[in-house]
Every structure is written in structure tokens, then in C-alpha cells.
Amino acid sequence: MIVRDRLYVGGAWVPPSSPALLEIRSPHDGSVLGQAVQAAPSDVDDAVAAARAAFDEGPWRHTTKVRALSVARRLCTGTVTVNGSPMSFDGPFGGYKASGIGREYGMVGLLGYIEHKSVTRARVAARSSAA
């Protein structure tokens, strides 16, 4: 059984403010797969503060467009905004893996409503041009 008794905050595994653990159960049969720490509100505050500091003081805020796009292309996520760019609903929106398969908006969002049909027919032998 896997037990995660630390939180990843500010680039390091840190102890939580409470020792409370949550049971992680299989959706298939309800068996206990492991336990994970239950973050308290103060733990969430610490994580948010660390994220804010990483943005304000780290390299990400001033990353070049070329570097940011290179990183964004490698992420396994449905939507990425680069350096605070606004969301556009002209393009597809959706998740990856357990976050949801499928897309909404844009041409890709319409594909789920389209039925494809293949029609085949017998081939006609090619005419010989030699006489």
C-alpha cells in the first residue's frame, strides 16, 4: 500500500500541519490502494504563497515566447496559457486522461457530433489506350 504523508510545496516535500490521512480507494472494487495526507487550509495557503513567489521571483514571468511555447507543447494538458495570455473560445477546450476526453468549442468540438460514412464501390478496369 502506498502512503503519501508529505505535501509538495515550494519545490520540496514538507510535513502537513495535520497528520490526518485519507484512504484512497479503487473505483473498481472499493479496496484501499493507499493513503494520502489531508491538506488543511493553512497548507493550501502555504502552497498558494509558494506558487505566487515562484511566479514573482522565478524565471517564468520573464520567459521568452519561444521557450514558453516549447514548454507548453510538451505539457500533457488540454489548455495552456502562456505568460498570462487570455483564453480564446475559438479553439478547442478539453482535458487529458482522467480530466476528460473530448473537446468543446471550435471545429474540433464539432467532430463529436459528426457521423462519418465510408462508401465503396467496385473498381472499373482501366481502359487500354493502345489500339
Side-chain angles (χ1 to χ4, degrees):
M1 179 167 65
I2 298 171
V3 177
R4 300 283 187 227
D5 61 352
R6 299 269 190 249
L7 298 169
Y8 196 72
V9 177
W13 290 100
V14 297
S17 60
S18 166
L21 295 174
L22 298 171
E23 287 186 341
I24 308 303
R25 295 187 170 271
S26 166
H28 172 69
D29 61 9
S31 63
V32 176
L33 300 174
Q35 295 179 323
V37 68
Q38 182 174 339
S42 61
D43 297 319
V44 175
D45 291 343
D46 292 345
V48 170
R52 179 82 252 171
F55 180 76
D56 290 341
E57 301 162 16
W60 305 113
R61 187 175 194 179
H62 305 290
T63 301
T64 65
K65 288 180 183 178
V66 171
R67 170 78 174 130
L69 289 172
S70 171
V71 171
R73 286 187 180 104
R74 293 188 312 242
L75 295 174
C76 288
T77 184
T79 303
V80 177
T81 61
V82 175
N83 293 347
S85 62
M87 290 273 298
S88 169
F89 292 103
D90 295 339
F93 174 82
Y96 268 58
K97 298 182 183 176
S99 294
I101 297 173
R103 297 288 178 262
E104 298 178 36
Y105 310 119
M107 284 301 296
V108 176
L110 292 174
L111 293 178
Y113 299 98
I114 297 172
E115 290 189 22
H116 298 275
K117 180 184 290 189
S118 295
V119 177
T120 61
R121 60 184 178 88
R123 293 181 182 218
V124 177
R127 292 184 186 174
S128 174
S129 60

